[in-house]
Amino acid sequence: MASIVHIADGLDLALSVVVPCYNEDAGIDELYRRVSTACEQQGQTYEIVLINDGSSDATCARIFALADADHHVVGIDLARNYGHQIALSAGLELCRGARILILDADLQDPPELLGPMMAKMDEGYDVVYGLREERDGESWFKLATASLFYRLLGRLSSVGIPANTGDFRLMNRRTLNHLNAMPERYRFIRGMVSWIGLRQCAFPYRRHSRFAGKTHYPLRKMLILAIDAMTSFSVAPLRFASHFGLAFGLLGMATLVYTLVAWGLGQVLPGWTSLASIMLILGSVQLLVLGIFGEYLGRMYMEAKRRPLFIISEIVSRTRIETGHGHWQDTQKGPAHG
Ligand code: UDP
Ligand code: MG
């Protein structure tokens, strides 16, 4: 087995397909088969970068077996489960194609669209992003919450982040270089790509059900991604907090004046209910406002640590052992142990 430390710098390949994989062993071989076919049809040089995001099943072994057998495959094993967006970032950092396709391992987004997307990019676009026109096998709840989230995000953020998109997209090297240069750790990659701008184009397609296994985005992780997106792309919640705080502060002042006047006029009555209500309302507003502050403060704290985004445990590739130097250490994303 060939393990390497150094990654080649430079753009010596026409295409990279980057796929984060977490507990996907049932689908990896099919993924490899379909992606390889799609890439071969392009008739250009390519690589398939498979990132194992700390899976607990046989995903890693399968990826490494593929990388051993086929020099087009680069297998990257992360040191633990970092989550979808970070695993994807690792692949994007290490890939070296002039064009890059992001794909999920579950084949919900058909690799066969590579050809048409490449053709679209030839028209002069920097990013061709998949727009889900139809989505098979997803619950109404997921569709409804996703639509609500994108509408809210659209209103709160000044960056136009298109609704009904995922990370399935083709981008060119200049876009990827900008993306890789963003150091933030709360990564909402589809939003970051929108933020970059340049020439972007939607590519409508039909999203299928999973080929195998089940989703790794339960409600809890969807919520975390939504909060990451919201806090990364908007300070509107902070503004909301201060406006809310201001409004209730003024109301409190007015009530204070009223109370003092009433006291001066000798009209004080035993008023437990009103007193308790005021305390409860003010208390909860304060907690809400503090909570929103805390959410941003916590993120600033985590960013301030400047830890590497990910640590790589091992890379298996038959081509990269002979080539290259530099790129890997320069990026300081973490040490690689061969
Ligand atoms: N994934 C990952 N790390 C995780 C969770 C998911 O690398 O912690 C990968 C997963 O293997 C898949 C992609 O991210 O390739 C999208 O995940 P999934 O299909 O579960 O999400 P959904 O399509 O249901 O939103
Ligand atoms: Mg999926």
Side-chain angles (χ1 to χ4, degrees):
M1 184 187 286
S3 324
I4 54 153
V5 178
H6 299 306
I7 295 297
D9 207 348
L11 309 175
D12 45 354
L13 295 170
L15 175 70
S16 297
V17 180
V18 177
V19 192
C21 310
Y22 176 59
N23 290 348
E24 304 276 7
D25 67 347
I28 289 277
D29 291 340
E30 177 69 4
L31 169 84
Y32 165 71
R33 197 184 59 71
R34 281 176 62 185
V35 173
S36 298
T37 311
C39 289
E40 289 291 345
Q41 277 169 1
Q42 289 300 308
Q44 290 171 315
T45 52
Y46 70 92
E47 65 176 353
I48 304 172
V49 181
L50 302 174
I51 307 103
N52 173 46
D53 186 20
S55 303
S56 52
D57 63 3
T59 301
C60 186
R62 275 180 200 261
I63 289 177
F64 281 0
L66 290 172
D68 266 336
D70 181 351
H71 69 275
H72 291 108
V73 177
V74 179
I76 299 174
D77 182 30
L78 296 184
R80 63 174 173 83
N81 178 248
Y82 287 90
H84 175 207
Q85 299 286 303
I86 299 285
L88 181 54
S89 302
L92 293 174
E93 184 76 42
L94 297 175
C95 72
R96 45 179 196 173
R99 290 183 179 185
I100 301 93
L101 179 77
I102 301 177
L103 197 68
D104 280 356
D106 56 10
L107 292 169
Q108 283 192 278
D109 313 307
E112 291 74 23
L113 295 179
L114 173 66
M117 288 170 94
M118 292 285 266
K120 193 86 206 160
M121 184 166 271
D122 289 339
E123 291 174 19
Y125 293 105
D126 294 291
V127 179
V128 177
Y129 59 87
L131 184 71
R132 301 166 180 173
E133 279 211 313
E134 282 176 66
R135 298 167 83 164
D136 297 342
E138 288 190 289
S139 66
W140 67 266
F141 181 75
K142 180 146 185 170
L143 296 184
T145 45
S147 134
L148 181 75
F149 162 69
Y150 279 105
R151 250 182 300 156
L152 194 65
L153 186 63
R155 296 202 49 176
L156 295 187
S157 159
S158 55
V159 183
I161 301 172
N164 276 325
T165 59
D167 291 315
F168 178 52
R169 61 192 61 217
L170 182 68
M171 56 186 151
N172 60 13
R173 177 52 60 173
R174 85 162 169 164
T175 313
L176 183 63
N177 284 344
H178 290 303
L179 182 66
N180 284 342
M182 298 187 197
E184 65 226 62
R185 55 194 36 264
Y186 294 92
R187 298 176 91 77
F188 183 59
I189 290 174
R190 62 203 79 160
M192 291 160 71
V193 174
S194 299
W195 181 91
I196 292 172
L198 300 175
R199 288 181 300 256
Q200 308 213 1
C201 165
F203 183 89
Y205 74 105
R206 175 178 185 160
R207 191 164 210 241
H208 299 272
S209 336
R210 261 181 166 270
F211 172 73
K214 57 176 176 22
T215 177
H216 302 107
Y217 269 96
L219 186 60
R220 186 180 62 82
K221 277 200 195 167
M222 266 169 48
L223 264 177
I224 292 176
L225 186 69
I227 294 176
D228 283 352
M230 211 62 98
T231 50
S232 301
F233 283 90
S234 170
V235 287
L238 272 182
R239 222 172 295 135
F240 165 79
S242 53
H243 290 176
F244 213 50
L246 186 71
F248 274 85
L250 288 176
L251 210 68
M253 290 293 217
T255 320
L256 181 66
V257 172
Y258 166 76
T259 318
L260 290 176
V261 171
W263 176 73
L265 296 177
Q267 291 174 346
V268 277
L269 295 170
W272 179 80
T273 313
S274 54
L275 201 64
S277 310
I278 290 169
M279 276 176 53
L280 288 172
I281 291 171
L282 280 184
S284 46
V285 167
Q286 281 166 357
L287 287 180
L288 177 76
V289 167
L290 267 182
I292 295 175
F293 285 2
E295 204 58 54
Y296 280 87
L297 186 70
R299 270 149 227 271
M300 281 169 62
Y301 171 62
M302 295 304 280
E303 295 283 3
K305 290 200 219 192
R306 308 216 127 266
R307 286 205 185 137
L309 273 184
F310 50 82
I311 306 286
I312 290 176
S313 152
E314 191 174 356
I315 300 177
V316 176
S317 159
R318 277 175 41 190
T319 52
R320 295 195 177 197
I321 194 152
E322 301 100 308
T323 49
H325 44 267
H327 179 82
W328 177 234
Q329 284 94 339
D330 292 343
T331 57
Q332 291 188 341
K333 294 291 175 189
H337 307 290

